[in-house]
Amino acid sequence: MINLLKFKEQAADGSSTGAQSYGRYTDAVVSMVEAQGGRLVWIGKVDQVLIGDTDGDAWDSAALVEYPSRKAFIDMVTSKDYNAAHEHREGGLERTVLLACTARDLTR
């Protein structure tokens, strides 16, 4: 999964920034991803848009998360524990794109 993230200036609960709220989500969810057999491969700050619409394609952060299957992802996001953490994700994000991808064999 490729996650493109744009944080709110202020989180929905008013107690922190959007990035801080999303950080609470990440802290809670990484162990859930690992329990499903997945892993956080990479997360980083987006510095600039090199190709594309500099306003429309402006993101604050990008993350790459690997799951063993789409079923593992669905099982995780439909759990009670995930729903409790998800409020921090929603409260911290202005907008997001989640891209489900399939690995490609580069040897062919």
Side-chain angles (χ1 to χ4, degrees):
M1 299 282 187
I2 298 172
N3 295 263
L4 301 176
L5 310 163
K6 180 71 174 174
F7 302 121
K8 293 177 180 174
E9 198 68 32
Q10 175 102 20
D13 66 8
S15 69
S16 61
T17 67
Q20 290 167 329
S21 183
Y22 191 83
R24 289 191 293 278
Y25 164 80
T26 301
D27 291 345
V29 171
V30 167
S31 62
M32 293 181 212
V33 170
E34 291 169 347
Q36 292 294 327
R39 68 188 179 106
L40 175 62
V41 177
W42 183 87
I43 189 166
K45 178 182 174 283
V46 176
D47 296 322
Q48 70 183 117
V49 175
L50 295 177
I51 298 172
D53 178 348
T54 56
D55 293 327
D57 293 334
W59 301 100
D60 295 319
S61 186
L64 179 60
V65 183
E66 181 179 54
Y67 295 90
S69 66
R70 297 220 176 134
K71 181 182 181 325
F73 172 77
I74 297 296
D75 288 347
M76 183 190 79
V77 298
T78 57
S79 72
K80 187 172 87 171
D81 289 338
Y82 181 83
N83 283 332
H86 188 72
E87 70 183 49
H88 298 297
R89 184 179 202 278
E90 288 298 309
L93 290 175
E94 178 181 308
R95 63 190 170 93
T96 185
V97 172
L98 180 61
L99 303 170
C101 304
T102 302
R104 188 172 137 207
D105 181 358
L106 298 177
T107 62
R108 292 196 257 173

